[in-house]
Amino acid sequence: MPEQATSSPGGTRPLELGVHAVGDRWLVVVGGDIDVHAAPLLHGTLREALGRTRDGIELDLSKVEFCDCSGLNALLRMRQQALDSGKTISVRAVSTAMGRLLDVTHTRPLFMSSDGALPAGEEASAAEDAPPGGLPVDAAQDLFLEVVQLRRAMETRPAIDMARGVLMASFALTPEDAWRVLVEVSQRSNTKLHRLAQDLVDSVMGGALPPDVRQLLAAAVAGHTAEHSA
C-alpha cells in the first residue's frame, strides 16, 4: 500500500498518513486535521492496513493538529473491527489536541498499547482508576471502563445535553452538528467539554463567554452551517 496519502479539503490542514510495517504490526503515522472530510480516508487507510497485518496497528497521533468527532468515530469503528478479527489498535503517541479529545470523551483507555501501557499523560490517572480485583484481567478491564464511562457520563451529560439544545435552538443545528461544534470549540479553546457546556448554558442566563470562546463558537457554527448549504 502507498506510504503516504494526502487529502486537502478547503480550509483545513491536509491529512497526512504514513504507513510502515513493523514486525507483525503496522505503524500508521497520522498528521494534520482529521475532520468530516478526512475521516473516510483515515478509515479506509486503517482498514487496508488492518487487513494486511497479522497482529494489529500502532497509531502515532503526535502530529494531529485537530480531530473532530467524525475522526474519533473512525478510530473507534476501526478499533471494534480489529477486535472482531482478533487484532488490536493501540496508540503509542498523541498530540496535545488529540490527547485532549481522548480525555474529554474518556476514550483514551480504550487505546492501551499492546504491552498494557497507556498513551503519554494517562499514567497517573491509570493508577488511581485501577480495575477491581477478583475477575480475569480482560473482564475486569472491560467492566471497569464501562463503570467509569457511565459514571462520568452521568456527571457531565445534563450540561452537555443542555448546551447542545442551546446550539440547536439558537443556530438551527442538527444534534450531530451541535455536538461537533462543542467538541471543536473545546479543543481549540483548551477547555474541558463539560466546562464549556456549562459556560454556554450559563450564558443563556446572563453569563458572559470569554471573547475568544465566542469567536471560536461563531466560527465553528458558521463552518458547519456552510457545509450543509454548500
Side-chain angles (χ1 to χ4, degrees), residues 94 112 136 147 156 174 207 220-221 225:
V94 294
M112 289 190 300
V147 170
T156 61
T174 66
V221 169
T225 301

Side-chain angles (χ1 to χ4, degrees), residues 39-120:
L41 175 59
L42 174 64
H43 183 269
T45 301
L46 293 178
R47 182 174 55 191
E48 184 176 356
L50 185 66
R52 291 171 175 258
T53 178
R54 187 174 70 179
D55 189 41
I57 295 173
E58 298 284 333
L59 288 172
D60 182 342
L61 306 176
S62 61
K63 298 179 181 179
V64 173
E65 299 183 59
F66 170 77
C67 180
D68 66 11
C69 58
S70 58
L72 179 60
N73 285 337
L75 294 176
L76 292 173
R77 287 199 305 271
M78 284 308 308
R79 174 184 177 273
Q80 188 57 54
Q81 290 179 32
L83 293 175
D84 290 343
S85 60
K87 303 175 184 179
T88 60
I89 293 182
S90 58
V91 174
R92 63 164 53 179
V94 294
S95 64
T96 300
M98 195 69 222
R100 188 180 305 125
L101 178 61
L102 295 176
D103 287 337
V104 299
T105 56
H106 311 302
T107 53
R108 189 192 286 257
L110 300 179
F111 293 98
M112 289 190 300
S113 65
S114 57
D115 61 0
L118 292 171

Side-chain angles (χ1 to χ4, degrees), residues 103-106 128-129 146-163 192-198 201:
D103 287 337
V104 299
T105 56
H106 311 302
E128 176 184 339
D129 292 333
E146 182 177 353
V147 170
V148 169
Q149 290 163 7
L150 286 174
R151 183 186 68 203
R152 290 174 176 171
M154 289 175 66
E155 292 172 350
T156 61
R157 181 166 180 174
I160 293 173
D161 282 349
M162 286 189 289
K192 291 290 187 181
L193 186 62
H194 67 89
R195 173 57 59 192
L196 172 65
Q198 188 61 59
V201 172

Side-chain angles (χ1 to χ4, degrees), residues 13 32-35 64-68 97 183-184 187-188:
R13 288 170 289 267
D33 287 0
I34 312 175
D35 58 12
V64 173
E65 299 183 59
F66 170 77
C67 180
D68 66 11
V183 171
E184 180 175 337
Q187 291 183 66
R188 295 195 183 278

